[in-house]
Amino acid sequence: MELKRRPRRLRANEAIRSMVRENHLRVEDLIYPMFVMPGEKKKIEISSMPGVYNFSLDEFVIALQEVVTLGIPAVLLFGIPESKDSVGTGAYDEHGIVQEAVRVAKKHFPELYVITDVCLCEYTDHGHCGLIENGQIVNDPTLDLLAQTALSHARAGADMVAPSDMMDGRVAAIREGLDKEGFSQIPIMAYSAKVASGFYGPFRDAAGSTPQFGDRRTYQMDPANGNEAMLETALDIEEGADVIIVKPALAYGDIIYRSKEKFGVPVVAYNVSGEYAMVKAASANGWIDEKRIVMEALVSMKRAGADLLITYHALDAARWLRAEGHV
Ligand code: PBG
């Protein structure tokens, strides 16, 4: 049979396959999320996230050495404070756990790009991302605390701040707060399309940030909505977001794609805790090939349009890429 077009011609061997490969995962694409907590000599594995730990600051420095050695350019920090209260004081404490972690990280590894998650939920005793008044999560009174949180991170030396709370107007409030204090050069990476997702379960175990009443559906987005994701993202960019995040990643490839097409700004896919836990559980059972699944999932996010990937698989992915000579 005479077929003019035979796509298999370009799949004949590894040489030609790699020559025509359209998307590549690079170590430089990876952002590694890490959890820090007070104390000493603590490295506590998160039970639903094998291979991911809560670190005291001494152990955090040891772990960072590995991140740097592997060539991973950036970390995203989350804090687990000693105590929580109704207004999330630990989030904007100049000597809070994340603020101290930033100082330690920049002192030992000045070249490492340090991004901080800006939110109240790890620091509030009710587990919500905003202040509570009369049983409601109130928007505007929360904004000032988010701005203070971001500012305290910038003062500690953070390179970039990443608000994950989903309050309306938080990017504008943070931008204004940073600019007023001389941090106009600190970029904002906004969790713009952040869905009220079941995929955050293991993270909330780690952070003890499961809401004590209700859920996050009055501020995080409905999983069914794509146009709303575009609106959220447009507003964040208007308010000054430099980089935007789509979260979760695996079930939201369409949102990644649409964001990249529509806005052209750097798009980050957040491969969240539940996505990580599923891969780990299935591979621990021998049901899937972990490396293949992880690399396939990560490159699919790039194909969808993500420029950068936040993933708990970052250390493994970097090791695998290096082993294959892709540094
Ligand atoms: C804080 C925050 C969460 C995650 C990142 N920042 C939890 C949430 O919104 O409930 C989830 C990260 C993950 O699941 O890996 N607001």
Side-chain angles (χ1 to χ4, degrees):
M1 188 167 51
E2 280 194 34
L3 274 178
K4 266 200 205 144
R5 307 296 307 179
R6 288 183 182 270
R8 289 187 59 194
R9 290 178 193 131
L10 300 185
R11 295 179 203 141
N13 54 49
E14 183 48 29
I16 188 63
R17 284 193 297 269
S18 76
M19 287 159 70
V20 299
R21 189 160 294 136
E22 297 173 37
N23 291 285
H24 300 271
L25 182 63
R26 308 172 313 153
V27 177
E28 290 88 341
D29 300 328
L30 302 170
I31 300 173
Y32 187 47
M34 296 180 80
F35 299 92
V36 288
M37 62 178 188
E40 266 173 56
K41 296 204 165 37
K42 289 199 179 135
K43 178 178 174 182
I44 300 171
E45 191 168 41
I46 298 160
S47 57
S48 50
M49 300 175 74
V52 177
Y53 302 86
N54 273 333
F55 294 106
S56 57
L57 294 185
D58 49 344
E59 292 288 338
F60 171 59
V61 173
I62 297 168
L64 281 182
Q65 181 63 61
E66 170 143 49
V67 173
V68 170
T69 304
L70 284 168
I72 295 168
V75 291
L76 172 62
L77 302 185
F78 296 94
I80 317 296
E82 202 133 43
S83 61
K84 307 189 186 219
D85 61 27
S86 65
V87 292
T89 308
Y92 38 90
D93 178 350
E94 295 291 340
H95 295 284
I97 182 62
V98 160
Q99 290 79 356
E100 295 300 354
V102 169
R103 289 187 185 97
V104 161
K106 293 307 286 187
K107 179 173 152 222
H108 288 84
F109 306 101
E111 308 293 315
L112 180 70
Y113 199 81
V114 176
I115 311 170
T116 55
D117 185 86
V118 173
C119 197
L120 300 187
C121 66
E122 295 120 74
Y123 306 90
T124 50
D125 50 17
H126 46 72
H128 278 291
C129 304
L131 291 176
I132 311 278
E133 283 171 20
N134 303 322
Q136 304 288 319
I137 295 105
V138 290
N139 196 88
D140 296 12
T142 302
L143 300 181
D144 180 48
L145 299 184
L146 293 168
Q148 280 186 45
T149 303
L151 190 55
S152 70
H153 295 172
R155 284 198 184 110
D159 293 294
M160 181 186 257
V161 293
S164 69
D165 53 282
M166 291 299 279
M167 295 298 125
D168 294 334
R170 80 267 165 79
V171 174
I174 290 172
R175 186 71 273 159
E176 195 188 320
L178 290 173
D179 290 356
K180 266 204 315 227
E181 297 293 320
F183 293 103
S184 60
Q185 293 306 311
I186 300 290
I188 298 175
M189 177 169 82
Y191 289 73
S192 299
K194 179 169 174 179
V195 168
S197 170
F199 285 102
Y200 310 149
F203 173 97
R204 292 184 191 168
D205 292 342
S209 63
T210 305
Q212 297 304 299
F213 67 91
D215 54 41
R216 301 212 203 290
R217 277 181 252 209
T218 67
Y219 43 107
Q220 298 179 346
M221 284 187 342
D222 186 326
N225 295 356
N227 293 332
E228 189 188 4
M230 296 304 104
L231 171 64
E232 277 285 4
T233 307
L235 291 173
D236 281 359
I237 293 172
E238 232 174 82
E239 289 176 29
D242 301 281
V243 178
I244 56 136
I245 302 179
V246 176
K247 180 184 174 202
L250 277 179
Y252 296 87
D254 59 320
I255 307 292
I256 298 173
Y257 180 78
R258 288 176 67 182
S259 306
K260 191 64 196 177
E261 292 283 298
K262 195 172 167 81
F263 301 109
V265 300
V267 173
V268 181
Y270 196 143
N271 178 212
V272 300
S273 58
E275 299 174 319
Y276 177 85
M278 292 195 302
V279 171
K280 285 294 190 180
S283 65
N285 275 293
W287 295 338
I288 56 166
D289 175 338
E290 181 175 354
K291 177 182 167 189
R292 271 192 78 178
I293 296 275
V294 169
M295 295 312 247
E296 184 176 332
L298 296 181
V299 87
S300 81
M301 294 165 203
K302 291 214 65 181
R303 193 192 64 240
D307 299 283
L308 298 168
L309 312 176
I310 302 172
T311 179
Y312 303 97
H313 296 291
L315 298 180
D316 285 333
R319 281 187 207 108
W320 293 325
L321 288 167
R322 294 179 82 90
E324 285 166 14
H326 303 292
V327 271

